[in-house]
Amino acid sequence: MQNYARLIGIDVGLKRVGLAQTDLLKTIASPVGTYSPSDVFEEVDRIVEGSPVEAFIIGWPLTPNGDEGPATKMVQRFIAKLEKAHPNIPIIKVDERYTSNKAKDLMLEIGVPKKKRRQKERVDRIAAALILQRYLDEHQ
């Protein structure tokens, strides 16, 4: 029997948090938007209230050589707040190295104008979708 629920992808940054979600069949990741770190929990709550959520897939910012650095501490603080707000939804960390660069490359490939490619909000929400899609690709 099919388990109809979404996965939520999260790309945490100091200034912005990119969100993405899957369809209920968990086949494709789509960008949702970019939010300030203080406003993102309101949007996550809205998504969780609107449909079942199986798990949060969070980008884990390792250094190029695979170590944890200062950015992982920031993401861990975000995870702690998310766990407190939604204790029954599992949180899965996914290596997010180079997703911002891949997001920029993807926008170039699909013909997004240069001015729009420079918008960091756009990059962050596409990076969240790439993190989520990477998880889907590895677990299906």
Side-chain angles (χ1 to χ4, degrees):
M1 187 169 138
Q2 181 69 39
N3 173 17
Y4 295 102
R6 294 185 193 285
L7 298 172
I8 305 299
I10 305 174
D11 180 33
V12 180
L14 280 172
K15 296 180 181 177
R16 290 171 305 280
V17 179
L19 285 183
Q21 66 183 5
T22 64
D23 57 304
L24 290 171
L25 295 173
K26 296 180 287 288
T27 56
I28 189 159
S30 301
V32 171
T34 308
Y35 305 89
S36 72
S38 58
D39 293 339
V40 71
F41 289 97
E42 197 173 299
E43 182 62 19
V44 168
D45 292 347
R46 189 189 66 70
I47 294 169
V48 169
E49 289 168 10
S51 60
V53 173
E54 184 175 303
F56 296 113
I57 311 302
I58 298 199
W60 193 239
L62 299 173
T63 63
N65 63 0
D67 295 332
E68 293 183 0
T72 55
K73 289 177 179 52
M74 174 197 58
V75 174
Q76 191 57 54
R77 286 190 299 272
F78 182 92
I79 288 172
K81 287 177 76 174
L82 191 59
E83 285 174 329
K84 188 174 181 182
H86 300 283
N88 298 322
I89 301 175
I91 296 172
I92 301 165
K93 299 176 200 168
V94 173
D95 181 357
E96 70 164 29
R97 284 180 284 182
Y98 311 114
T99 52
S100 291
N101 289 337
K102 288 178 185 170
K104 291 174 190 171
D105 291 345
L106 180 62
M107 288 191 294
L108 180 63
E109 192 176 303
I110 63 173
V112 173
K114 190 174 192 176
K115 189 175 179 180
K116 289 185 178 180
R117 288 196 312 265
R118 287 189 179 143
Q119 296 171 347
K120 294 188 186 299
E121 302 83 18
R122 192 176 296 265
V123 173
D124 292 339
R125 66 179 167 251
I126 292 173
L130 290 172
I131 291 164
L132 187 51
Q133 191 64 50
R134 177 182 292 165
Y135 177 83
L136 288 173
D137 293 346
E138 291 173 359
H139 293 89
Q140 288 186 349

